[in-house]
Amino acid sequence: MTTPLIIAVDGPAASGKGTIAQRLAQHYGLPHLDTGLLYRAVGLGVLDRGGDFGDADLAEQVARALEPEDLFDTTRLTDRGAGEAASRVAGHTGVRAALLDLQTRFARQPGGAVLDGRDIGTVIVPDAPVKLFVTASPEVRARRRWLQLTARGETLSFEDMLADIVRRDARDAGRGAAPMVQAADAALLDTTDMDIEAAFDAARRIVETSRAR
Ligand code: DC
């Protein structure tokens, strides 16, 4: 029996991990889950109920009551406020526990799957046969995200975007619950000087090398 191809893609905001995960999923014919969307949906749920991100019970309740339709409005889910809200609620252990089972089941589908997030290779599927940690310099990541958001009509300065990215990295990497960290057996892919085609090629080579082991 062949081992299911589970590809764990972790890394900070705007590193390119989402696009890489999507392209790998297409290439290998696998289902793809952007786990950030789950945390974003919880963050927006908390915002809609008053916005007290420090209220761990409220955040957990929202996470446990998540419905498929909470994941439909991708415009709102991918805006700047949702990213910040997601990072705030993601530090609560109850939220992470509430979202664990769904992610594990997705990852363990018979043929395999591609998941991207912050703790896929460390917590969700620590035995994934392929793990990538995708990163890029904060300036390059801020530039990419700023171009995306301003193209959609959001108004913010590049400096504010960079400050957002740096603050979010520190929060995601510094929390006690499943912090963002490169798994010991993950391949590091730095996309600072790469366009998406080069990044995808490099990712595909990593997958092939890991599968051959
Ligand atoms: O990948 P993203 O930017 O959509 O993620 C938004 C936030 O959600 C991120 O700052 C931290 C949190 N997150 C997480 O803690 N664990 C994940 N697996 C995915 C996202």
Side-chain angles (χ1 to χ4, degrees):
M1 211 179 77
T2 52
T3 336
L5 180 55
I6 305 175
I7 305 179
V9 184
D10 289 305
S15 56
K17 66 180 187 316
T19 311
I20 288 173
Q22 206 170 24
R23 293 282 304 266
L24 287 174
Q26 266 165 15
H27 182 77
Y28 291 104
L30 294 169
H32 166 226
L33 178 64
D34 168 1
T35 64
L37 284 179
L38 303 173
Y39 292 90
R40 286 168 177 265
V42 176
L44 289 180
V46 169
L47 258 185
D48 292 344
R49 286 165 187 76
D52 181 359
F53 296 114
D55 186 340
D57 290 339
L58 171 66
E60 181 176 346
Q61 257 173 39
V62 171
R64 294 208 178 274
L66 217 57
E67 296 283 354
E69 56 265 32
D70 296 325
L71 300 168
F72 291 166
D73 186 355
T74 45
T75 307
R76 186 167 183 230
L77 284 165
T78 53
D79 76 13
R80 182 185 177 201
E84 180 66 15
S87 170
R88 300 281 296 274
V89 295
H92 296 304
T93 46
V95 169
R96 307 203 73 85
L99 301 178
L100 181 69
D101 187 46
L102 188 155
Q103 296 176 80
T104 309
R105 278 187 286 121
F106 191 92
R108 306 269 176 213
Q109 301 179 64
V114 184
L115 289 85
D116 70 272
R118 301 290 185 291
D119 63 340
I120 309 302
T122 50
V123 174
I124 306 296
V125 236
D127 60 342
V130 182
K131 295 183 190 177
L132 281 85
F133 192 84
V134 183
T135 189
S137 75
E139 289 75 17
V140 163
R141 289 187 287 121
R143 173 77 51 197
R144 289 175 186 160
R145 187 50 55 84
W146 182 79
L147 287 170
Q148 277 170 1
L149 293 180
T150 52
R152 282 171 26 169
E154 286 202 36
T155 44
L156 80 160
S157 69
F158 172 75
E159 287 68 31
D160 285 348
M161 188 75 261
L162 181 58
D164 261 24
I165 290 271
V166 170
R167 193 176 51 241
R168 192 126 76 86
D169 284 356
R171 193 187 295 120
D172 293 345
R175 68 183 177 219
M180 171 178 73
V181 61
Q182 182 183 349
D185 53 351
L188 181 67
L189 175 55
D190 187 333
T191 67
T192 302
D193 298 317
M194 293 180 184
D195 64 13
I196 184 56
E197 287 308 320
F200 170 61
D201 270 355
R204 203 169 36 80
R205 279 197 300 273
I206 292 171
V207 175
E208 292 306 325
T209 309
S210 307
R211 286 177 95 186
R213 277 202 305 253

